[in-house]
Amino acid sequence: MHAHSFSPETAGLRRGCVLGLAAISTVLATWEMFRLLSAQGLTAPEWVMGGFFTLCFAWIALSFWTAVAGFLQLASGRRLAGLRWPEAAEAAAPLKSRTAVVMPIHNEDPASVFANVQATYESLKATGRLDAFDFYVLSDSTRVEAWVAEELAWADLCRRVGGQGRIFYRRRSDNRGKKAGNLADFCERWGKRYDFMVVLDADSLMSGETLVKMARLMELNPRAGILQVPPRCVGRATLFARLQQFAGRLYGPVVAAGAAAWQFGESNYWGHNAILRVAAFTEHCGLPVLPGQQPFGGHILSHDFVEAALMRRAGYTVWLVPELDGSYEQPPPHLLAYAQRDRRWCQGNLQHLRLVLAGGLHPVSRGHFLMGVMSYVASPLWLLFLLSGLVAALNPTFDAEGALGLMGVSLTMLLLPKAFGLALALTRREESALMGGRGRLVLSVLAESLVSMLLAPVMMLFQSHFVFGTLLGYKVSWTSQQRDDEDLPWAEAARRHAVHTLVGVVLAAVALALSPGLLLWLSPVVAGLLLSIPMSVWTARASLGAWAARHGLFLIPEESAPPAVVARALELAQRELEPVEDGLERVLTDPRAHALHLALLESLPVTGVAPLALASARRKLLEGRREPLSAQEKAAVLMDAETLTEAARRRHALRAS
């Protein structure tokens, strides 16, 4: 079979194998669970417990058999069928298409953002294919200090790399629709200039070779609407981040290859580190505003799943391409930052319940919606399963030993994908050497598995809280993610994990009162909850991450032998940018910042200026009042060229006199 041969029958066979094995495993496990529960007849709590177990085990089984498919795919060394890959002559030919590399940002650190943009730009330039690409930094920043700092950083970047006319910056004054609205605005204004667009996040980084390969694949596969490249986590130093980087590097390829192996051209889109066909995206992927209020109504938060479904509905394919590397992002620095990100994703994924039955969608697209929902609903289901198990344990005929054995099977299915990743790495001598050597690699897997097991019940409670909170109507605010390494204060950890610790104490006491054997059954959950405060603090420390690195633990090849683009981004991120303490003051007193800001204002129409705020700000600035300006007043002034010009002229006149 050629690498580009593909048929619905091939996809159907693979899906039938993975989904069928997951279904059979679930039926067998459910039958065994109800056999254990029905020794003396089923009580209501036992029926409930069995139902929750079925749902939870189905999720585990699907993940397990996906990993099995990924392991077999990677072990075979064959490229997944479906996409046409370039022949040698085609790979050497100039690109015929035009591609925009777009990075939406929102109140991010400009030093980090533009370090990644510069490293990606320089890497692309080194390929000799730069002429086929343009770069856009699309700002939705609301803090005026971030806004002005972005303008200055962009101008400095263009000067350093000669990027005028190829690297563009635009800030929206009306940021409705958040990231999805930002990309839609880009497509409306500039999309017709380009065949494709590569979407990056604020922490994304891509090698030039990967960008060229992505564009080439889109040229050779005209019905491909989206190609998603799995990003690898790099660049952070805390122990928590290093654990995420290590796990993603070792186990992530198995999961990605497995998903690609059965999803084929109905894969999903993760919102970044992907290339999209602009005309198809613009025509078919406009997002509806859901009726009603948040959290289930309003703008769609997890827009990427929906855009992939709409692209597939329009007849274009969506591919996960694990064969491509050179795609990177940064992990959250600690558990609380990870949970904060999950809170937003949870609400967005739960919105998809309203779209599962939307007309014309491919069945696999509907499956992606349900899998996205289940990725969060699984946590409250596990919690309810544990609670119903405690009630069921009151029955003296409850077979605790048999239930413990069944849970052992579940745990084995959760851990085996890690063993698959380890086995593949151990067979690759160069890769295992870059991950600390075989002995340290095995030790790292054992340690990562232990830490993950302890953190899992904490995330179970976090995600249960997010799900129940969403169902009760709580909505999330739109804030930038925490990306920088920093120690987590004990007081903050104690405040955020106090309930988790209390739940652990209560759970241990109840289990011990019912049966010492039951406490053993729950010991992984109880231990994780009781240790939640110190685990959160310790894993947030960069010093412990550095200690692990010195001892060869949790190493990844991108750290031991950094690719050029990663090394360059880390080097550039160390540069100190002049801080912008007051955005308006900087524009009024710095002639370069003033001229740059006015030039950018002229390039785009400005909307959404608050007239009352502007009038108040003008009085304070132009009538010599010593009253401080509010954040809204500063933003209004920065969007009004006339007021800026008059205020700067007045400042200059006062200094001259």
Side-chain angles (χ1 to χ4, degrees):
M1 181 184 292
H2 296 292
H4 59 272
S5 60
F6 171 71
S7 68
E9 292 77 15
T10 305
L13 179 62
R14 293 211 180 192
R15 287 173 189 159
C17 287
V18 172
L19 299 178
L21 288 168
I24 292 170
S25 302
T26 303
V27 169
L28 291 175
T30 301
W31 179 85
E32 177 64 14
M33 173 58 79
F34 277 102
R35 187 189 68 79
L36 293 172
L37 294 173
S38 62
Q40 298 294 327
L42 287 169
T43 64
E46 289 169 340
W47 275 108
V48 172
M49 181 183 179
F52 287 139
F53 174 82
T54 300
L55 293 172
C56 293
F57 194 90
W59 181 240
I60 292 175
L62 178 59
S63 301
F64 171 75
W65 288 110
T66 296
V68 171
F71 175 72
L72 295 175
Q73 182 70 39
L74 293 175
S76 73
R78 298 178 61 189
R79 184 177 284 162
L80 187 68
L83 285 173
R84 179 176 174 241
W85 289 75
E87 305 291 341
E90 292 171 323
L95 289 168
K96 302 174 184 178
S97 56
R98 296 280 301 153
T99 301
V101 181
V102 301
M103 179 183 282
I105 61 175
H106 173 71
N107 293 334
E108 300 286 348
D109 172 28
S112 176
V113 166
F114 286 93
N116 285 357
V117 173
Q118 181 173 343
T120 301
Y121 181 91
E122 291 175 350
S123 179
L124 182 59
K125 186 176 182 180
T127 68
R129 310 289 192 209
L130 182 61
D131 288 347
F133 294 81
D134 287 333
F135 285 69
Y136 288 81
V137 177
L138 307 174
S139 174
D140 263 344
S141 295
T142 52
R143 293 191 303 107
V144 295
E145 286 70 33
W147 176 9
V148 174
E150 290 163 5
E151 293 179 341
L152 294 171
W154 165 74
D156 286 341
L157 170 61
C158 290
R159 177 180 51 79
R160 285 195 306 272
V161 302
Q164 292 83 356
R166 196 168 295 282
I167 304 176
F168 302 95
Y169 169 84
R170 184 274 282 134
R171 176 190 175 270
R172 281 200 302 169
S173 53
D174 179 1
N175 55 25
R176 279 179 293 184
K178 302 182 174 66
K179 180 180 176 181
N182 199 350
L183 292 174
D185 179 80
F186 167 80
C187 291
E188 291 170 6
R189 294 183 186 276
W190 299 288
K192 291 183 179 179
R193 301 181 187 178
Y194 302 99
D195 302 287
F196 318 124
M197 67 174 176
V198 174
V199 180
L200 302 180
D201 260 359
D203 61 344
S204 294
L205 181 67
M206 297 198 83
S207 74
E209 288 186 1
T210 300
L211 289 171
V212 173
K213 289 177 181 177
M214 293 166 74
R216 184 88 61 193
L217 284 171
M218 293 294 277
E219 287 184 349
L220 295 175
N221 296 273
R223 296 309 298 172
I226 302 175
L227 301 181
Q228 174 68 63
V229 181
R232 293 174 176 170
C233 291
V234 298
R236 296 269 64 91
T238 66
L239 181 58
F240 182 85
R242 292 180 60 78
L243 288 163
Q244 297 295 307
Q245 291 169 180
F246 176 79
R249 184 63 173 82
L250 194 63
Y251 322 135
V254 175
V255 176
W262 69 267
Q263 293 171 9
F264 281 89
E266 285 81 36
S267 291
N268 211 351
Y269 165 47
W270 303 341
H272 59 93
N273 293 55
I275 188 168
L276 296 82
R277 194 171 298 275
V278 174
F281 182 81
T282 304
E283 182 177 356
H284 301 292
C285 297
L287 297 177
V289 177
L290 299 178
Q293 299 297 315
Q294 283 198 40
F296 289 102
H299 291 286
I300 294 174
L301 297 182
S302 293
H303 56 90
D304 37 18
F305 282 41
V306 182
E307 289 158 347
L310 295 175
M311 185 71 81
R312 188 67 193 94
R313 185 175 72 174
Y316 293 88
T317 52
V318 180
W319 295 90
L320 177 61
V321 193
E323 295 91 341
L324 290 180
D325 55 10
S327 171
Y328 309 99
E329 64 177 346
Q330 293 176 343
H334 53 67
L335 180 63
L336 295 183
Y338 184 91
Q340 177 191 9
R341 185 183 68 176
D342 251 23
R343 175 69 182 90
R344 182 170 63 252
W345 288 357
C346 176
Q347 180 178 325
N349 283 15
L350 291 181
Q351 278 184 315
H352 296 163
L353 284 171
R354 302 185 63 175
L355 302 172
V356 170
L357 299 179
L361 297 183
H362 193 281
V364 176
S365 297
R366 302 185 198 278
H368 285 307
F369 287 155
L370 293 174
M371 286 188 287
V373 170
M374 189 62 184
S375 64
Y376 290 97
V377 172
S379 285
L381 288 177
W382 273 115
L383 179 61
L384 293 171
F385 168 71
L386 290 174
L387 295 177
S388 61
L390 287 175
V391 177
L394 295 173
N395 186 338
T397 64
F398 178 72
D399 187 353
E401 291 186 4
L404 185 60
L406 193 53
M407 289 303 294
V409 172
S410 303
L411 186 61
T412 300
M413 294 180 72
L414 286 170
L415 292 177
L416 270 178
K418 298 183 183 233
F420 295 155
L422 174 62
L424 289 170
L426 290 175
T427 61
R428 301 165 182 163
R429 181 174 300 177
E430 183 179 352
E431 180 177 325
S432 61
L434 292 174
M435 301 184 80
R438 291 177 176 174
R440 288 187 176 87
L441 180 55
V442 172
L443 185 59
S444 295
V445 169
L446 294 175
E448 188 278 331
S449 299
L450 175 61
V451 174
S452 296
M453 182 179 67
L454 292 173
L455 295 181
V458 181
M459 285 307 303
M460 177 183 69
L461 290 188
F462 266 132
Q463 291 179 341
S464 298
H465 170 69
F466 300 156
V467 170
F468 291 134
T470 301
L471 294 176
L472 291 173
Y474 296 109
K475 60 183 180 180
V476 298
S477 57
W478 188 31
T479 59
S480 58
Q481 298 179 30
Q482 180 183 338
R483 306 190 193 276
D484 295 331
D485 295 335
E486 62 177 32
D487 287 352
L488 182 66
W490 281 95
E492 176 67 7
R495 184 179 70 83
R496 297 289 297 277
H497 293 296
V499 172
H500 304 152
T501 306
L502 179 61
V503 171
V505 171
V506 172
L507 192 61
V510 171
L512 186 60
L514 293 174
S515 165
L518 186 60
L519 180 59
L520 177 64
W521 188 62
L522 292 173
S523 58
V525 176
V526 170
L529 295 175
L530 293 179
L531 293 172
S532 58
I533 294 173
M535 287 295 295
S536 194
V537 171
W538 292 335
T539 56
R541 289 184 174 172
S543 59
L544 286 180
W547 178 88
R550 288 195 304 270
H551 289 80
L553 299 176
F554 315 125
L555 292 177
I556 58 174
E558 289 77 11
E559 179 182 19
S560 301
V565 68
V566 173
R568 181 59 171 156
L570 292 174
E571 174 192 350
L572 291 168
Q574 302 305 314
R575 292 185 302 106
E576 292 288 338
L577 296 182
E578 184 181 352
V580 176
E581 303 292 347
D582 185 315
L584 178 58
E585 189 68 17
R586 182 68 175 269
V587 170
L588 292 178
T589 58
D590 182 342
R592 175 172 166 269
H594 183 80
L596 173 64
H597 186 81
L598 289 181
L600 288 170
L601 279 183
E602 291 177 2
S603 66
L604 281 175
V606 175
T607 60
V609 180
L612 294 179
L614 179 60
S616 174
R618 284 182 63 87
R619 287 194 298 272
K620 293 178 182 179
L621 285 173
L622 304 180
E623 296 176 10
R625 300 186 181 183
R626 295 187 174 275
E627 301 174 52
L629 273 68
S630 67
Q632 186 182 29
E633 289 171 338
K634 289 179 180 180
V637 172
L638 284 171
M639 287 189 285
D640 188 74
E642 180 183 350
T643 303
L644 279 175
T645 303
E646 291 183 35
R649 187 182 300 119
R650 176 182 173 81
R651 291 286 182 92
H652 181 73
L654 288 174
R655 285 198 304 270
S657 62

